[in-house]
Amino acid sequence: MQQRHNCDRLLTRGHAVKNYTLMSCRLSVILPAFNEEVSLERTIRSCVQFLRTQEIPAEVIIVDDGSMDRTGVIAGALSRECPMVRVLNHPCNRGYGVALRTGFEAAVGEAVLFMDADGQFDITDLTVMLKELETCDIVSGARLQRNDSMLRLVASRSYNAISRLVLPITTVDVNCAFKLMRREVLAGLHLRSCGFGLAAELIAKAEHQHLRIKVFPVQHHPLLGGRSTVSMRSILPALRELWNIRRGLREVTPLFPSHIPPCAVSSSQHSLK
């Protein structure tokens, strides 16, 4: 029998919900995937196993962004085997940011986690991050010990440095693709980026709204296989995105309590089956 309770207090601008039992709320895990046939199955299976073991009612959403390899086939097979796995398909490659936005729009969880499908992040970090989210609005991962090639390290660090120059942000490792947040927060951010700038846009608009962000150190593993789509050639398009984000900060709608419905908490675990 399901028991549903309202949160004791709604989210207010710059403050976190009190007594928000996240372990009993539904979670959406979003993984954008482009040509991830090497790592996708292992990544998804580790997510599903962790969520079941921890008894977290959840859905896992794979967004296949027009992959040209077997990513779509593997994702489809996983969704048929695991009821908690959903697959959304783009007919062509539309970009990392668009893939994430597709996942955000489809998510039904009270909390939303997005992570890459390349196997570099560890889903077990979610245990502590969920606890951290009880006292903030966004938990942003930070890779303190990165396992990347030198070229990717230079590209990423350059992007992080430029982001902090172009945008009024203080959060470190802004482009870390392991972030947990409340779904209602996303609705007030009006994310528009199509490429890798979406993570920076999310943080910039959240800081602009004075939302409460915690930075959490996350594990980072070597790439399981395949080729990274991040390179020095990504910098110029990213710069254009950052400038557009800066211009768009004026358009962010403040997040007031009236915009946010009560959090329905369920004690049922049936969604794990």
Side-chain angles (χ1 to χ4, degrees):
M1 178 179 178
Q2 290 189 351
Q3 297 179 343
R4 302 182 70 85
H5 307 278
N6 286 339
C7 284
D8 293 338
R9 182 167 172 261
L10 299 181
L11 179 67
T12 58
R13 189 181 182 193
H15 300 278
V17 173
K18 297 264 181 91
N19 300 320
Y20 190 106
T21 312
L22 282 163
M23 294 299 286
S24 298
C25 284
R26 190 168 172 82
L27 169 74
S28 295
V29 181
I30 299 170
L31 300 96
F34 178 63
N35 294 342
E36 298 286 2
E37 64 178 1
V38 175
S39 59
L40 183 63
E41 181 172 1
R42 178 174 167 182
T43 302
I44 297 302
R45 289 194 183 281
S46 67
C47 287
V48 171
Q49 181 180 4
F50 170 79
L51 294 169
R52 284 176 172 165
T53 300
Q54 297 297 313
E55 297 187 334
I56 302 174
E59 62 175 355
V60 177
I61 301 176
I62 305 168
V63 184
D64 179 12
D65 190 27
S67 296
M68 296 174 288
D69 60 3
R70 296 182 64 253
T71 295
V73 174
I74 296 169
L78 288 166
S79 68
R80 290 188 293 273
E81 178 184 340
C82 306
M84 73 163 63
V85 177
R86 300 168 55 196
V87 181
L88 305 176
N89 295 289
H90 288 170
C92 60
N93 182 242
R94 300 180 61 191
Y96 181 80
V98 178
L100 277 176
R101 282 160 44 202
T102 295
F104 292 157
E105 291 170 6
V108 300
E110 297 293 340
V112 176
L113 169 76
F114 75 82
M115 61 183 290
D116 284 348
D118 58 11
Q120 289 198 273
F121 292 104
D122 197 319
I123 190 66
T124 61
D125 284 326
L126 182 61
T127 303
V128 180
M129 291 177 74
L130 282 169
K131 294 293 185 183
E132 295 289 341
L133 195 62
E134 293 176 2
T135 55
C136 68
D137 307 308
I138 298 172
V139 184
S140 183
R143 300 158 290 186
L144 300 185
Q145 294 184 338
R146 296 191 56 165
N147 281 284
D148 279 323
S149 66
M150 182 57 66
L151 179 61
R152 195 175 185 189
L153 281 172
V154 171
S156 182
R157 287 173 179 171
S158 299
Y159 179 82
N160 270 297
I162 294 169
S163 296
R164 292 164 68 88
L165 288 173
V166 175
L167 300 174
I169 57 177
T170 59
T171 302
V172 299
D173 201 7
V174 67
N175 65 327
C176 177
F178 199 83
K179 288 178 169 53
L180 177 69
M181 68 215 75
R182 305 178 186 283
R183 184 164 56 92
E184 64 265 24
V185 166
L186 288 171
L189 297 182
H190 306 293
L191 301 175
R192 297 178 179 176
S193 295
C194 296
F196 291 104
L198 185 132
E201 180 186 8
L202 188 154
I203 293 298
K205 289 183 173 180
E207 289 196 16
H208 184 69
Q209 286 197 23
H210 308 292
L211 296 178
R212 203 171 188 184
I213 303 171
K214 285 189 178 181
V215 176
F216 181 79
V218 296
Q219 303 173 70
H220 194 245
H221 305 297
L223 200 63
L224 288 177
R227 287 193 316 175
S228 171
T229 55
V230 178
S231 67
M232 293 303 293
R233 289 179 297 180
S234 307
I235 296 294
L236 186 57
L239 282 175
R240 286 196 289 263
E241 273 199 317
L242 290 174
W243 181 250
N244 289 333
I245 293 166
R246 182 183 178 89
R247 294 173 58 188
L249 286 178
R250 295 187 297 254
E251 303 172 18
V252 179
T253 303
L255 196 61
F256 293 108
S258 60
H259 293 168
I260 302 172
C263 166
V265 180
S266 172
S267 60
S268 173
Q269 305 296 321
H270 292 304
S271 59
L272 296 173
K273 296 180 181 179

